[in-house]
């Protein structure tokens, strides 16, 4: 299961990993009606990681009953992704329009060249969806947590993807605390870092907060205020979701 997630990550090369933090962070959380393995939604999530913007994910798997009907009422049709920016009042469909909007509104300087080649990005994202076809696509609606879960994640993490797919299938809304990379040492896997006592001093607030909270940093990390728990390790997080929110 993990192997195909690595393939998706490799296909997207460096996309959705490296961050250049937005100079002007939005005060209120952005919201995204999203399907985890949708190639169009992935592009938006990649841009969010690259701009280091947090987002409230509203999962809309096939046959979903929680946020799909809500979007149809709100935007007029069931098409994903759909961005809501409560800071500006903007709401929009169309992945590449959303990416442009995010860079124009929150980016530093020009939109990177790769995003000007939008069609190419869409094609690459479609290839990346293929190895995970049907993963997290069908609703298996779980219990709705009273308080929002928070997932420390970056878009292209193969481990975080497994967790996001499950949250999507369960239709559990969650906040993504984006934790892209800004330093070479962050590319070292946690065990290697630990072996050589390397602690990257990231400029990203989410990474700094997680390091301060737990004394170490590894992605994904799930914070569940409902059970007062913080979990590393995708397998442990998946188990936690099943035990507390699964059918
Ligand atoms: N041109 C749109 C295409 C979006 C699109 O076709 N999304 C698919 C999901 S991958 C969708 O909304 N399908 C309808 C559904 O899932 O019910 C974009 O780039 O945002």
């Amino acid at each position: 299961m993990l192997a195909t997630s690595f393939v998706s990550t490799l296909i997207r090369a460096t996309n959705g990993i490296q961050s250049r933090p937005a100079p002007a962070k939005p005060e209120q959380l952005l919201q995204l009606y999203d399907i985890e393995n949708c190639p169009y939604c992935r592009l938006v999530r990649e841009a969010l990681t690259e701009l280091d913007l947090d987002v409230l994910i509203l999962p809309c798997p096939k046959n979903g009953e929680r946020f799909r009907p809500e979007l149809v009422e709100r935007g007029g049709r069931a098409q994903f992704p759909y961005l809501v920016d409560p800071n500006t009042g903007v709401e929009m469909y169309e992945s590449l329009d959303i990416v442009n909007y995010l860079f124009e509104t929150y980016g530093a300087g020009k939109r990177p060249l790769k995003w000007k080649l939008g069609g190419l990005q869409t094609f690459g994202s479609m290839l990346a969806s293929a190895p995970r076809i049907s993963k997290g696509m069908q609703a298996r609606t779980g219990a709705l947590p009273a308080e929002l879960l928070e997932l420390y994640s970056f878009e292209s993490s193969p481990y975080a993807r497994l967790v996001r797919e499950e949250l999507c299938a369960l239709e559990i809304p969650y906040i993504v605390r984006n934790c892209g990379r800004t330093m070479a040492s962050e590319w070292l896997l946690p065990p290697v870092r630990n072996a050589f006592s390397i602690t990257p001093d990231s400029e990203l607030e989410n990474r700094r907060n997680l390091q301060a909270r737990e004394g170490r940093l590894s992605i994904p990390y799930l914070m569940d205020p409902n059970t007062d728990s913080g979990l590393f390790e995708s397998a442990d997080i998946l188990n936690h979701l099943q035990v507390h929110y699964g059918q």
Side-chain angles (χ1 to χ4, degrees), residues 35 38-40 62 68 78-81 94-96:
I35 305 173
C38 161
Y40 306 101
K62 301 278 176 209
R68 270 189 175 247
Q79 180 183 299
F80 310 92
E94 289 301 327
S95 52
L96 295 176

Side-chain angles (χ1 to χ4, degrees), residues 31-235:
Q31 301 168 21
L32 188 68
Y33 290 82
D34 173 80
I35 305 173
E36 173 57 32
N37 199 33
C38 161
Y40 306 101
C41 300
R42 176 183 292 109
L43 297 181
V44 175
R45 298 193 311 264
E46 285 178 352
L48 290 166
T49 291
E50 291 168 13
L51 288 164
D52 190 39
L53 296 172
D54 293 347
V55 62
L56 172 62
I57 296 286
L58 303 167
C60 298
K62 301 278 176 209
N63 305 321
E65 59 194 43
R66 227 163 241 167
F67 302 110
R68 270 189 175 247
E70 183 182 296
L71 175 60
V72 174
E73 207 158 285
R74 186 166 200 162
R77 60 190 195 275
Q79 180 183 299
F80 310 92
Y82 183 82
L83 180 81
V84 177
D85 185 346
N87 304 280
T88 58
V90 166
E91 303 198 3
M92 64 205 295
Y93 290 104
E94 289 301 327
S95 52
L96 295 176
D97 291 345
I98 297 174
V99 170
N100 287 347
Y101 167 79
L102 291 172
F103 275 93
E104 270 167 23
T105 312
Y106 298 112
K110 285 187 188 153
R111 187 167 40 123
L113 175 66
K114 67 165 193 169
W115 286 117
K116 294 183 183 152
L117 309 171
L120 214 57
Q121 296 303 332
T122 305
F123 179 66
S125 187
M126 282 175 172
L127 292 182
S129 284
R132 304 298 293 171
I133 200 139
S134 85
K135 293 283 188 299
M137 287 296 261
Q138 289 291 336
R140 287 182 276 107
T141 314
L144 186 63
E147 284 188 66
L148 280 169
L149 308 187
E150 297 191 20
L151 183 68
Y152 286 68
S153 168
F154 61 88
E155 174 49 35
S156 210
S157 160
Y159 301 97
R161 181 177 294 113
L162 305 183
V163 174
R164 298 193 312 254
E165 285 171 351
E166 187 63 11
L167 288 165
C168 186
L170 293 172
E171 293 191 87
I172 294 180
Y174 60 102
I175 297 173
V176 167
R177 298 283 176 212
N178 257 311
C179 291
R181 293 171 177 161
T182 54
M183 309 168 72
S185 53
E186 284 165 351
W187 287 79
L188 296 172
L189 291 175
V192 180
R193 256 185 251 163
N194 297 343
F196 292 95
S197 303
I198 297 170
T199 309
D201 188 19
S202 177
E203 64 184 287
L204 300 190
E205 200 183 330
N206 290 337
R207 280 187 176 259
R208 298 182 82 89
N209 288 347
L210 181 52
Q211 179 73 37
R213 182 186 157 99
E214 292 288 351
R216 68 187 174 109
L217 207 149
S218 162
I219 302 297
Y221 173 82
L222 182 80
M223 221 165 86
D224 186 343
N226 305 282
T227 54
D228 197 21
S229 40
L231 295 107
F232 290 105
E233 295 299 325
S234 50

